[in-house]
């Protein structure tokens, strides 16, 4: 079927409608030119600010990572040395604290928190260690490995302070998560906490559960010997 041909009148009508719409748009822009300019300037400012922030964050992350690596290497050298261990820990602690203060917006600054906590723990400053581990807790919430290691460190601090029940509560939260890769370690630590807190029945329950669930664990013979 042949397509219906538009008459000259209809063509002119469509053209007039288009021109009228274009004219209205042009008049609107002219009447609101200041607002249009402001919107354009605003978009440009946001774009420039985004690029500037992105560049700053990239620079900060790079410099923060470099400082973190220096502190970490110092810590590793200290761990491998049999001399001046205490002095090395204090030195690495200062370097990690510099990462936190000088590059606070970097990702490395977050990871430096538990490292300072570890240094505080190693030098017997358990209360101060807890402060750093607590500060790291919300930052580690998105990563199960970081979160669990941080909880184990907090439990160790509580145990060192003699706060056995607080240590047990932290460890129980890990034990209650069957898929957690550090659950075996948490169970063994919890059993030790119960024994230290004069609660042999709970300690034996943990050992029995461990033997039942982790028969292939390298710790299985030791656990069976304690039951």
């Amino acid at each position: 079927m042949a397509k219906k041909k538009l008459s000259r009148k209809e063509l002119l009508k469509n053209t007039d409608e288009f021109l009228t719409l274009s004219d209205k748009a042009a008049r609107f822009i002219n009447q609101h030119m200041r607002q249009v300019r402001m919107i354009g300037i605003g978009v440009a400012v946001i774009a420039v600010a985004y690029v500037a922030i992105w560049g700053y964050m990239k620079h900060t992350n790079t410099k923060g990572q470099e400082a973190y690596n220096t502190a970490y290497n110092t810590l590793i050298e200290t761990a491998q040395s049999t001399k001046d261990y205490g002095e090395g820990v204090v030195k690495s602690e200062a370097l990690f604290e510099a990462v936190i203060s000088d590059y606070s917006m970097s990702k490395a600054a977050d990871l430096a928190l538990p490292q300072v906590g570890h240094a505080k723990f190693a030098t017997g400053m358990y209360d101060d260690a807890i402060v750093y581990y607590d500060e790291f807790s919300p930052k580690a919430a998105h990563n199960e490995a970081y979160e669990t290691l941080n909880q184990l460190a907090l439990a160790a601090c509580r145990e060192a302070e003699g706060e056995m029940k607080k240590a047990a509560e932290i460890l129980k939260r890990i034990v209650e998560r069957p898929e957690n890769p550090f659950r075996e370690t948490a169970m063994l630590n919890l059993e030790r906490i119960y024994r230290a807190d004069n609660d042999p029945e709970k300690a034996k329950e943990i050992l029995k559960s461990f033997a039942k669930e982790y028969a292939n664990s390298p710790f299985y013979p030791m656990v069976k010997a304690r039951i």
Side-chain angles (χ1 to χ4, degrees), residues 155-196:
C157 288
R158 295 299 184 185
E159 181 182 357
E161 291 264 275
E163 298 176 306
M164 299 304 177
K165 286 182 172 49
K166 287 185 178 180
E169 285 302 315
I170 295 170
L171 294 169
K172 279 163 62 178
R173 289 197 291 270
I174 302 173
V175 172
E176 288 167 359
R177 291 147 64 182
E179 302 304 317
N180 192 294
F182 299 97
R183 187 168 180 263
E184 289 182 55
T185 301
M187 290 181 79
L188 293 175
N189 287 348
L190 183 57
E191 186 269 335
R192 187 187 66 253
I193 294 294
Y194 282 143
R195 278 192 291 110

mmCIF file of all heavy atoms in Angstrom, residues 155-196:
data_model
loop_
_atom_site.group_PDB
_atom_site.id
_atom_site.type_symbol
_atom_site.label_atom_id
_atom_site.label_comp_id
_atom_site.label_asym_id
_atom_site.label_seq_id
_atom_site.Cartn_x
_atom_site.Cartn_y
_atom_site.Cartn_z
ATOM 1 N N ALA A 155 40.885 -9.847 71.733
ATOM 2 C CA ALA A 155 40.729 -10.890 72.758
ATOM 3 C C ALA A 155 42.038 -11.113 73.504
ATOM 4 O O ALA A 155 42.044 -11.290 74.734
ATOM 5 C CB ALA A 155 40.262 -12.190 72.106
ATOM 6 N N ALA A 156 43.152 -11.077 72.777
ATOM 7 C CA ALA A 156 44.467 -11.246 73.410
ATOM 8 C C ALA A 156 44.748 -10.109 74.380
ATOM 9 O O ALA A 156 45.312 -10.320 75.465
ATOM 10 C CB ALA A 156 45.553 -11.310 72.331
ATOM 11 N N CYS A 157 44.351 -8.897 74.006
ATOM 12 C CA CYS A 157 44.541 -7.739 74.898
ATOM 13 C C CYS A 157 43.713 -7.895 76.169
ATOM 14 O O CYS A 157 44.198 -7.628 77.277
ATOM 15 C CB CYS A 157 44.134 -6.448 74.174
ATOM 16 S SG CYS A 157 45.257 -5.908 72.878
ATOM 17 N N ARG A 158 42.468 -8.313 75.990
ATOM 18 C CA ARG A 158 41.598 -8.507 77.159
ATOM 19 C C ARG A 158 42.141 -9.606 78.068
ATOM 20 O O ARG A 158 42.110 -9.485 79.298
ATOM 21 C CB ARG A 158 40.174 -8.860 76.699
ATOM 22 C CG ARG A 158 39.456 -7.757 75.939
ATOM 23 C CD ARG A 158 39.285 -6.506 76.782
ATOM 24 N NE ARG A 158 38.519 -5.480 76.079
ATOM 25 C CZ ARG A 158 38.307 -4.255 76.557
ATOM 26 N NH1 ARG A 158 38.819 -3.901 77.736
ATOM 27 N NH2 ARG A 158 37.618 -3.382 75.868
ATOM 28 N N GLU A 159 42.654 -10.666 77.459
ATOM 29 C CA GLU A 159 43.240 -11.759 78.247
ATOM 30 C C GLU A 159 44.466 -11.263 79.013
ATOM 31 O O GLU A 159 44.636 -11.574 80.201
ATOM 32 C CB GLU A 159 43.633 -12.911 77.328
ATOM 33 C CG GLU A 159 44.230 -14.101 78.061
ATOM 34 C CD GLU A 159 44.667 -15.208 77.136
ATOM 35 O OE1 GLU A 159 44.469 -15.086 75.911
ATOM 36 O OE2 GLU A 159 45.224 -16.214 77.638
ATOM 37 N N ALA A 160 45.309 -10.496 78.340
ATOM 38 C CA ALA A 160 46.513 -9.967 78.992
ATOM 39 C C ALA A 160 46.160 -9.032 80.146
ATOM 40 O O ALA A 160 46.897 -8.948 81.139
ATOM 41 C CB ALA A 160 47.367 -9.216 77.970
ATOM 42 N N GLU A 161 45.002 -8.364 80.034
ATOM 43 C CA GLU A 161 44.537 -7.480 81.095
ATOM 44 C C GLU A 161 43.861 -8.253 82.226
ATOM 45 O O GLU A 161 43.492 -7.663 83.239
ATOM 46 C CB GLU A 161 43.538 -6.455 80.521
ATOM 47 C CG GLU A 161 44.167 -5.440 79.586
ATOM 48 C CD GLU A 161 44.521 -4.164 80.303
ATOM 49 O OE1 GLU A 161 43.660 -3.287 80.439
ATOM 50 O OE2 GLU A 161 45.675 -4.049 80.748
ATOM 51 N N GLY A 162 43.666 -9.554 82.016
ATOM 52 C CA GLY A 162 42.992 -10.365 83.024
ATOM 53 C C GLY A 162 41.483 -10.321 82.915
ATOM 54 O O GLY A 162 40.775 -10.838 83.784
ATOM 55 N N GLU A 163 40.966 -9.744 81.818
ATOM 56 C CA GLU A 163 39.510 -9.643 81.616
ATOM 57 C C GLU A 163 39.038 -10.846 80.804
ATOM 58 O O GLU A 163 38.721 -10.742 79.617
ATOM 59 C CB GLU A 163 39.173 -8.331 80.909
ATOM 60 C CG GLU A 163 39.565 -7.099 81.713
ATOM 61 C CD GLU A 163 39.314 -5.818 80.962
ATOM 62 O OE1 GLU A 163 39.812 -5.672 79.824
ATOM 63 O OE2 GLU A 163 38.608 -4.942 81.495
ATOM 64 N N MET A 164 39.006 -12.003 81.446
ATOM 65 C CA MET A 164 38.742 -13.261 80.764
ATOM 66 C C MET A 164 37.349 -13.335 80.146
ATOM 67 O O MET A 164 37.174 -13.873 79.046
ATOM 68 C CB MET A 164 38.943 -14.435 81.730
ATOM 69 C CG MET A 164 40.354 -14.538 82.287
ATOM 70 S SD MET A 164 41.597 -14.634 80.961
ATOM 71 C CE MET A 164 43.105 -14.638 81.910
ATOM 72 N N LYS A 165 36.362 -12.822 80.832
ATOM 73 C CA LYS A 165 34.996 -12.900 80.315
ATOM 74 C C LYS A 165 34.832 -12.039 79.056
ATOM 75 O O LYS A 165 34.140 -12.431 78.105
ATOM 76 C CB LYS A 165 34.000 -12.500 81.398
ATOM 77 C CG LYS A 165 33.833 -13.572 82.465
ATOM 78 C CD LYS A 165 32.817 -13.190 83.499
ATOM 79 C CE LYS A 165 32.529 -14.366 84.442
ATOM 80 N NZ LYS A 165 33.728 -15.027 84.979
ATOM 81 N N LYS A 166 35.464 -10.883 79.040
ATOM 82 C CA LYS A 166 35.413 -10.039 77.842
ATOM 83 C C LYS A 166 36.140 -10.711 76.688
ATOM 84 O O LYS A 166 35.687 -10.664 75.536
ATOM 85 C CB LYS A 166 36.024 -8.668 78.125
ATOM 86 C CG LYS A 166 35.157 -7.770 78.998
ATOM 87 C CD LYS A 166 35.773 -6.385 79.137
ATOM 88 C CE LYS A 166 34.872 -5.478 79.974
ATOM 89 N NZ LYS A 166 35.453 -4.112 80.114
ATOM 90 N N ALA A 167 37.259 -11.344 76.997
ATOM 91 C CA ALA A 167 38.003 -12.071 75.966
ATOM 92 C C ALA A 167 37.163 -13.216 75.408
ATOM 93 O O ALA A 167 37.115 -13.438 74.187
ATOM 94 C CB ALA A 167 39.308 -12.615 76.543
ATOM 95 N N ALA A 168 36.473 -13.935 76.302
ATOM 96 C CA ALA A 168 35.634 -15.062 75.883
ATOM 97 C C ALA A 168 34.493 -14.602 74.984
ATOM 98 O O ALA A 168 34.173 -15.258 73.985
ATOM 99 C CB ALA A 168 35.082 -15.788 77.111
ATOM 100 N N GLU A 169 33.883 -13.475 75.311
ATOM 101 C CA GLU A 169 32.770 -12.956 74.508
ATOM 102 C C GLU A 169 33.220 -12.641 73.087
ATOM 103 O O GLU A 169 32.497 -12.907 72.116
ATOM 104 C CB GLU A 169 32.182 -11.695 75.162
ATOM 105 C CG GLU A 169 31.329 -11.962 76.376
ATOM 106 C CD GLU A 169 30.158 -12.887 76.077
ATOM 107 O OE1 GLU A 169 29.477 -12.673 75.042
ATOM 108 O OE2 GLU A 169 29.934 -13.828 76.851
ATOM 109 N N ILE A 170 34.401 -12.078 72.952
ATOM 110 C CA ILE A 170 34.934 -11.758 71.619
ATOM 111 C C ILE A 170 35.172 -13.038 70.824
ATOM 112 O O ILE A 170 34.790 -13.147 69.652
ATOM 113 C CB ILE A 170 36.243 -10.949 71.734
ATOM 114 C CG1 ILE A 170 35.966 -9.589 72.375
ATOM 115 C CG2 ILE A 170 36.881 -10.756 70.355
ATOM 116 C CD1 ILE A 170 37.221 -8.813 72.746
ATOM 117 N N LEU A 171 35.781 -14.024 71.466
ATOM 118 C CA LEU A 171 36.101 -15.278 70.788
ATOM 119 C C LEU A 171 34.845 -16.074 70.426
ATOM 120 O O LEU A 171 34.792 -16.724 69.377
ATOM 121 C CB LEU A 171 37.025 -16.129 71.663
ATOM 122 C CG LEU A 171 38.431 -15.537 71.883
ATOM 123 C CD1 LEU A 171 39.175 -16.310 72.964
ATOM 124 C CD2 LEU A 171 39.229 -15.550 70.583
ATOM 125 N N LYS A 172 33.843 -16.001 71.269
ATOM 126 C CA LYS A 172 32.592 -16.719 70.999
ATOM 127 C C LYS A 172 31.936 -16.219 69.717
ATOM 128 O O LYS A 172 31.330 -16.998 68.969
ATOM 129 C CB LYS A 172 31.622 -16.563 72.185
ATOM 130 C CG LYS A 172 31.915 -17.529 73.331
ATOM 131 C CD LYS A 172 31.238 -17.107 74.618
ATOM 132 C CE LYS A 172 29.738 -17.077 74.521
ATOM 133 N NZ LYS A 172 29.115 -16.699 75.817
ATOM 134 N N ARG A 173 32.077 -14.921 69.437
ATOM 135 C CA ARG A 173 31.486 -14.366 68.220
ATOM 136 C C ARG A 173 32.140 -14.969 66.971
ATOM 137 O O ARG A 173 31.492 -15.116 65.933
ATOM 138 C CB ARG A 173 31.612 -12.836 68.207
ATOM 139 C CG ARG A 173 30.701 -12.149 69.220
ATOM 140 C CD ARG A 173 30.545 -10.679 68.898
ATOM 141 N NE ARG A 173 31.764 -9.917 69.099
ATOM 142 C CZ ARG A 173 32.108 -9.321 70.244
ATOM 143 N NH1 ARG A 173 31.305 -9.423 71.300
ATOM 144 N NH2 ARG A 173 33.218 -8.625 70.346
ATOM 145 N N ILE A 174 33.417 -15.294 67.075
ATOM 146 C CA ILE A 174 34.114 -15.933 65.950
ATOM 147 C C ILE A 174 33.702 -17.400 65.837
ATOM 148 O O ILE A 174 33.422 -17.901 64.746
ATOM 149 C CB ILE A 174 35.646 -15.833 66.127
ATOM 150 C CG1 ILE A 174 36.064 -14.363 66.241
ATOM 151 C CG2 ILE A 174 36.360 -16.503 64.967
ATOM 152 C CD1 ILE A 174 37.535 -14.174 66.596
ATOM 153 N N VAL A 175 33.654 -18.082 66.980
ATOM 154 C CA VAL A 175 33.307 -19.509 67.014
ATOM 155 C C VAL A 175 31.896 -19.749 66.472
ATOM 156 O O VAL A 175 31.619 -20.796 65.864
ATOM 157 C CB VAL A 175 33.434 -20.059 68.453
ATOM 158 C CG1 VAL A 175 32.891 -21.477 68.555
ATOM 159 C CG2 VAL A 175 34.892 -20.011 68.907
ATOM 160 N N GLU A 176 31.012 -18.795 66.657
ATOM 161 C CA GLU A 176 29.629 -18.934 66.197
ATOM 162 C C GLU A 176 29.477 -18.810 64.688
ATOM 163 O O GLU A 176 28.374 -18.952 64.160
ATOM 164 C CB GLU A 176 28.747 -17.887 66.903
ATOM 165 C CG GLU A 176 28.518 -18.192 68.378
ATOM 166 C CD GLU A 176 27.923 -17.014 69.139
ATOM 167 O OE1 GLU A 176 27.706 -15.950 68.497
ATOM 168 O OE2 GLU A 176 27.686 -17.145 70.347
ATOM 169 N N ARG A 177 30.574 -18.535 63.990
ATOM 170 C CA ARG A 177 30.536 -18.422 62.525
ATOM 171 C C ARG A 177 31.272 -19.620 61.914
ATOM 172 O O ARG A 177 32.490 -19.605 61.757
ATOM 173 C CB ARG A 177 31.177 -17.100 62.080
ATOM 174 C CG ARG A 177 30.334 -15.888 62.478
ATOM 175 C CD ARG A 177 31.159 -14.669 62.792
ATOM 176 N NE ARG A 177 31.911 -14.162 61.674
ATOM 177 C CZ ARG A 177 32.740 -13.114 61.769
ATOM 178 N NH1 ARG A 177 32.914 -12.496 62.928
ATOM 179 N NH2 ARG A 177 33.397 -12.702 60.716
ATOM 180 N N PRO A 178 30.542 -20.692 61.579
ATOM 181 C CA PRO A 178 31.149 -21.957 61.121
ATOM 182 C C PRO A 178 32.075 -21.817 59.914
ATOM 183 O O PRO A 178 33.026 -22.583 59.781
ATOM 184 C CB PRO A 178 29.930 -22.820 60.763
ATOM 185 C CG PRO A 178 28.806 -22.245 61.564
ATOM 186 C CD PRO A 178 29.070 -20.779 61.635
ATOM 187 N N GLU A 179 31.807 -20.860 59.028
ATOM 188 C CA GLU A 179 32.609 -20.724 57.815
ATOM 189 C C GLU A 179 33.845 -19.844 58.012
ATOM 190 O O GLU A 179 34.640 -19.684 57.075
ATOM 191 C CB GLU A 179 31.737 -20.136 56.688
ATOM 192 C CG GLU A 179 30.493 -20.950 56.359
ATOM 193 C CD GLU A 179 30.830 -22.384 55.998
ATOM 194 O OE1 GLU A 179 31.803 -22.591 55.259
ATOM 195 O OE2 GLU A 179 30.124 -23.300 56.456
ATOM 196 N N ASN A 180 34.007 -19.283 59.190
ATOM 197 C CA ASN A 180 35.144 -18.400 59.417
ATOM 198 C C ASN A 180 36.455 -19.188 59.355
ATOM 199 O O ASN A 180 36.613 -20.203 60.037
ATOM 200 C CB ASN A 180 35.008 -17.713 60.784
ATOM 201 C CG ASN A 180 36.002 -16.574 60.953
ATOM 202 O OD1 ASN A 180 37.207 -16.776 61.009
ATOM 203 N ND2 ASN A 180 35.482 -15.369 61.029
ATOM 204 N N PRO A 181 37.413 -18.748 58.538
ATOM 205 C CA PRO A 181 38.666 -19.501 58.378
ATOM 206 C C PRO A 181 39.546 -19.536 59.632
ATOM 207 O O PRO A 181 40.463 -20.353 59.721
ATOM 208 C CB PRO A 181 39.370 -18.762 57.232
ATOM 209 C CG PRO A 181 38.800 -17.377 57.254
ATOM 210 C CD PRO A 181 37.375 -17.553 57.672
ATOM 211 N N PHE A 182 39.260 -18.658 60.601
ATOM 212 C CA PHE A 182 40.063 -18.618 61.824
ATOM 213 C C PHE A 182 39.317 -19.250 63.010
ATOM 214 O O PHE A 182 39.695 -19.054 64.154
ATOM 215 C CB PHE A 182 40.435 -17.174 62.164
ATOM 216 C CG PHE A 182 41.262 -16.505 61.103
ATOM 217 C CD1 PHE A 182 40.667 -15.687 60.157
ATOM 218 C CD2 PHE A 182 42.634 -16.699 61.042
ATOM 219 C CE1 PHE A 182 41.419 -15.065 59.176
ATOM 220 C CE2 PHE A 182 43.402 -16.081 60.058
ATOM 221 C CZ PHE A 182 42.792 -15.269 59.116
ATOM 222 N N ARG A 183 38.274 -19.997 62.696
ATOM 223 C CA ARG A 183 37.443 -20.568 63.762
ATOM 224 C C ARG A 183 38.226 -21.553 64.627
ATOM 225 O O ARG A 183 38.049 -21.593 65.850
ATOM 226 C CB ARG A 183 36.224 -21.253 63.154
ATOM 227 C CG ARG A 183 35.201 -21.740 64.186
ATOM 228 C CD ARG A 183 33.902 -22.127 63.505
ATOM 229 N NE ARG A 183 32.920 -22.580 64.475
ATOM 230 C CZ ARG A 183 32.684 -23.858 64.764
ATOM 231 N NH1 ARG A 183 33.384 -24.812 64.148
ATOM 232 N NH2 ARG A 183 31.769 -24.192 65.658
ATOM 233 N N GLU A 184 39.089 -22.383 64.033
ATOM 234 C CA GLU A 184 39.878 -23.334 64.807
ATOM 235 C C GLU A 184 40.728 -22.617 65.847
ATOM 236 O O GLU A 184 40.759 -23.007 67.019
ATOM 237 C CB GLU A 184 40.807 -24.134 63.880
ATOM 238 C CG GLU A 184 40.098 -25.143 62.999
ATOM 239 C CD GLU A 184 41.088 -25.932 62.160
ATOM 240 O OE1 GLU A 184 42.014 -26.530 62.746
ATOM 241 O OE2 GLU A 184 40.940 -25.949 60.927
ATOM 242 N N THR A 185 41.409 -21.571 65.402
ATOM 243 C CA THR A 185 42.250 -20.791 66.317
ATOM 244 C C THR A 185 41.416 -20.186 67.432
ATOM 245 O O THR A 185 41.815 -20.212 68.608
ATOM 246 C CB THR A 185 42.970 -19.662 65.543
ATOM 247 O OG1 THR A 185 43.764 -20.240 64.508
ATOM 248 C CG2 THR A 185 43.849 -18.841 66.465
ATOM 249 N N ALA A 186 40.248 -19.660 67.068
ATOM 250 C CA ALA A 186 39.378 -19.037 68.068
ATOM 251 C C ALA A 186 38.899 -20.060 69.094
ATOM 252 O O ALA A 186 38.833 -19.768 70.302
ATOM 253 C CB ALA A 186 38.177 -18.384 67.385
ATOM 254 N N MET A 187 38.587 -21.273 68.641
ATOM 255 C CA MET A 187 38.116 -22.320 69.560
ATOM 256 C C MET A 187 39.212 -22.710 70.553
ATOM 257 O O MET A 187 38.956 -22.850 71.757
ATOM 258 C CB MET A 187 37.656 -23.552 68.778
ATOM 259 C CG MET A 187 36.370 -23.336 68.010
ATOM 260 S SD MET A 187 35.825 -24.819 67.111
ATOM 261 C CE MET A 187 35.079 -25.763 68.442
ATOM 262 N N LEU A 188 40.442 -22.865 70.064
ATOM 263 C CA LEU A 188 41.549 -23.227 70.952
ATOM 264 C C LEU A 188 41.835 -22.119 71.955
ATOM 265 O O LEU A 188 42.104 -22.388 73.138
ATOM 266 C CB LEU A 188 42.795 -23.527 70.119
ATOM 267 C CG LEU A 188 42.717 -24.775 69.228
ATOM 268 C CD1 LEU A 188 43.961 -24.892 68.355
ATOM 269 C CD2 LEU A 188 42.527 -26.037 70.063
ATOM 270 N N ASN A 189 41.753 -20.875 71.499
ATOM 271 C CA ASN A 189 41.962 -19.745 72.410
ATOM 272 C C ASN A 189 40.840 -19.655 73.442
ATOM 273 O O ASN A 189 41.087 -19.363 74.628
ATOM 274 C CB ASN A 189 42.033 -18.430 71.622
ATOM 275 C CG ASN A 189 43.326 -18.285 70.850
ATOM 276 O OD1 ASN A 189 44.273 -19.042 71.053
ATOM 277 N ND2 ASN A 189 43.380 -17.311 69.956
ATOM 278 N N LEU A 190 39.623 -19.911 72.989
ATOM 279 C CA LEU A 190 38.480 -19.861 73.905
ATOM 280 C C LEU A 190 38.593 -20.944 74.967
ATOM 281 O O LEU A 190 38.301 -20.703 76.150
ATOM 282 C CB LEU A 190 37.181 -20.015 73.120
ATOM 283 C CG LEU A 190 35.878 -19.921 73.917
ATOM 284 C CD1 LEU A 190 35.783 -18.583 74.664
ATOM 285 C CD2 LEU A 190 34.665 -20.088 72.995
ATOM 286 N N GLU A 191 39.034 -22.133 74.562
ATOM 287 C CA GLU A 191 39.214 -23.221 75.527
ATOM 288 C C GLU A 191 40.249 -22.831 76.583
ATOM 289 O O GLU A 191 40.060 -23.081 77.777
ATOM 290 C CB GLU A 191 39.672 -24.482 74.773
ATOM 291 C CG GLU A 191 39.746 -25.727 75.642
ATOM 292 C CD GLU A 191 41.114 -25.926 76.276
ATOM 293 O OE1 GLU A 191 42.110 -25.419 75.702
ATOM 294 O OE2 GLU A 191 41.198 -26.562 77.350
ATOM 295 N N ARG A 192 41.309 -22.196 76.143
ATOM 296 C CA ARG A 192 42.354 -21.766 77.088
ATOM 297 C C ARG A 192 41.818 -20.695 78.041
ATOM 298 O O ARG A 192 42.123 -20.696 79.241
ATOM 299 C CB ARG A 192 43.550 -21.205 76.304
ATOM 300 C CG ARG A 192 44.748 -20.900 77.212
ATOM 301 C CD ARG A 192 45.871 -20.185 76.497
ATOM 302 N NE ARG A 192 45.481 -18.846 76.067
ATOM 303 C CZ ARG A 192 45.233 -18.507 74.813
ATOM 304 N NH1 ARG A 192 45.331 -19.418 73.846
ATOM 305 N NH2 ARG A 192 44.876 -17.272 74.506
ATOM 306 N N ILE A 193 41.004 -19.794 77.509
ATOM 307 C CA ILE A 193 40.397 -18.740 78.333
ATOM 308 C C ILE A 193 39.500 -19.346 79.410
ATOM 309 O O ILE A 193 39.537 -18.944 80.589
ATOM 310 C CB ILE A 193 39.575 -17.756 77.469
ATOM 311 C CG1 ILE A 193 40.479 -16.962 76.521
ATOM 312 C CG2 ILE A 193 38.760 -16.795 78.342
ATOM 313 C CD1 ILE A 193 41.429 -16.019 77.189
ATOM 314 N N TYR A 194 38.702 -20.326 79.029
ATOM 315 C CA TYR A 194 37.807 -20.970 79.991
ATOM 316 C C TYR A 194 38.611 -21.666 81.097
ATOM 317 O O TYR A 194 38.240 -21.611 82.277
ATOM 318 C CB TYR A 194 36.897 -21.987 79.291
ATOM 319 C CG TYR A 194 35.734 -21.370 78.551
ATOM 320 C CD1 TYR A 194 35.286 -21.889 77.337
ATOM 321 C CD2 TYR A 194 35.053 -20.273 79.076
ATOM 322 C CE1 TYR A 194 34.207 -21.337 76.669
ATOM 323 C CE2 TYR A 194 33.971 -19.704 78.412
ATOM 324 C CZ TYR A 194 33.557 -20.244 77.212
ATOM 325 O OH TYR A 194 32.486 -19.687 76.542
ATOM 326 N N ARG A 195 39.707 -22.313 80.725
ATOM 327 C CA ARG A 195 40.538 -22.969 81.736
ATOM 328 C C ARG A 195 41.149 -21.936 82.682
ATOM 329 O O ARG A 195 41.179 -22.127 83.905
ATOM 330 C CB ARG A 195 41.652 -23.784 81.059
ATOM 331 C CG ARG A 195 41.204 -25.154 80.592
ATOM 332 C CD ARG A 195 42.378 -26.042 80.184
ATOM 333 N NE ARG A 195 43.040 -25.589 78.975
ATOM 334 C CZ ARG A 195 44.252 -25.058 78.930
ATOM 335 N NH1 ARG A 195 44.949 -24.901 80.043
ATOM 336 N NH2 ARG A 195 44.799 -24.686 77.778
ATOM 337 N N ALA A 196 41.627 -20.832 82.104
ATOM 338 C CA ALA A 196 42.239 -19.778 82.924
ATOM 339 C C ALA A 196 41.207 -19.120 83.834
ATOM 340 O O ALA A 196 41.550 -18.613 84.909
ATOM 341 C CB ALA A 196 42.881 -18.726 82.021
#
